[in-house]
Amino acid sequence: MSQALIVIDVQNDFCSGGALAVPDGDEVVAPINDLMRDFATVILTQDWHPAGHSSFASTHVSKHPFDTIEMSYGSQVLWPDHCVQGSAGAEFHPDLITRGDLILRKGFRSVVDSYSAFFENDKKTATGLEGYLRNRGITRLTLAGLATDFCVAFSALDAARLGFDVTVELQACRGIDLDGSLDRALADMTAAGVGLK
Ligand code: VGL
Ligand code: ZN
C-alpha cells in the first residue's frame, strides 16, 4: 500500500507571466513543496511540446487560442503556444523542489495532445506511468498542480479508472476554468470516486 505524490505541470508557462498563465498558478508551489515531505515517492510531470504542436492555435489557419477543433481522436481545445521543449516556459517554476524520483514528459508527439499523465488525448497511447507505479507497488496517489480542470483532472480520472486510490489536493491546484470546465472537472472527479481534499 505504498503511495506517491504526482505533481502536475508546475511550469513557468502556467504561472504568472507565462504563455498560458493559470490564474494564481504560482500559489501552488509552496503547498506542493510542503506536501513533498509526506511522500517517499514524488513524480513530476512536464508538459513538453515540440514547436508547431497540433494543440497550438498558431499551428492552424484562422484559429485562435481557446477555440476548439475536431481531431482524429475527438475535440481538442487550442492553446497559445506553451511549454515548447527546451524553452524557459517549459522549465519548472524556479521555487519548485524538483528532487523527485521521476520526471515524466508528455505531449511530445506533434499530432496528439496529452493532458493526462497516463494516456495521451487519444485515450489509447500509454505514457508508461501505470507500469512504473505498479512495478513499485504503489496503489495510492495524491495529485496536485496545474491545471485543476485539464491536466490534473484528466490524470486523476485515468488513475481512478485504472484502479488507483486517488486524492486531489485542491489547495495545491489552480484551474483555467474555460466555459465551466472547472465545475465539470470537480463533478467528474467526484463521480469517479476521486477524493477531493
Ligand atoms: C495543460 C492545457 C494545455 C495543463 C497543458 O497542464 O493543464 N493545459 N496543456
Ligand atoms: Zn500543453
Side-chain angles (χ1 to χ4, degrees):
M1 274 254 295
S2 294
Q3 56 174 348
L5 174 67
I6 305 184
V7 178
I8 305 284
D9 299 2
V10 183
Q11 293 166 260
N12 290 326
D13 271 342
F14 298 123
C15 294
S16 65
L20 177 43
V22 177
D24 301 322
D26 310 58
E27 291 179 5
V28 305
V29 174
I32 287 174
N33 286 343
D34 285 345
L35 270 174
M36 285 182 188
R37 295 200 197 102
D38 301 334
F39 290 84
T41 300
V42 176
I43 295 157
L44 300 108
T45 70
Q46 199 171 21
D47 209 39
W48 193 249
H49 301 306
H53 191 256
S54 56
S55 75
F56 297 171
S58 65
T59 301
H60 304 270
V61 179
S62 9
K63 291 290 175 192
H64 303 282
F66 312 109
D67 286 351
T68 298
I69 58 163
E70 278 309 306
M71 303 280 268
S72 57
Y73 52 81
S75 97
Q76 168 73 47
V77 178
L78 296 176
W79 305 105
D81 291 22
H82 65 278
C83 297
V84 174
Q85 296 174 0
S87 68
E91 285 171 18
F92 290 113
H93 186 288
D95 299 331
L96 183 73
I97 297 170
T98 55
R99 289 190 299 269
D101 299 23
L102 174 73
I103 294 175
L104 180 104
R105 288 172 167 169
K106 61 186 181 58
F108 49 75
R109 257 182 278 278
S110 285
V111 296
V112 51
D113 203 4
S114 189
Y115 293 150
S116 165
F118 292 90
F119 291 97
E120 300 190 9
N121 286 9
D122 62 5
K123 305 267 181 215
K124 288 195 286 269
T125 310
T127 63
L129 181 58
E130 179 190 3
Y132 175 91
L133 295 169
R134 294 214 197 279
N135 278 339
R136 295 186 54 163
I138 293 165
T139 57
R140 286 163 53 213
L141 303 176
T142 295
L143 273 63
L146 304 170
T148 318
D149 40 349
F150 287 92
C151 292
V152 174
F154 276 64
S155 299
L157 291 169
D158 279 345
R161 189 166 47 82
L162 292 169
F164 292 96
D165 178 337
V166 190
T167 301
V168 170
E169 278 278 353
L170 289 177
Q171 45 103 19
C173 296
R174 293 293 181 278
I176 296 175
D177 204 11
L178 209 59
D179 301 323
S181 57
L182 188 54
D183 281 346
R184 257 195 323 274
L186 296 173
D188 289 349
M189 288 192 282
T190 300
V194 172
L196 301 179
K197 229 170 112 183

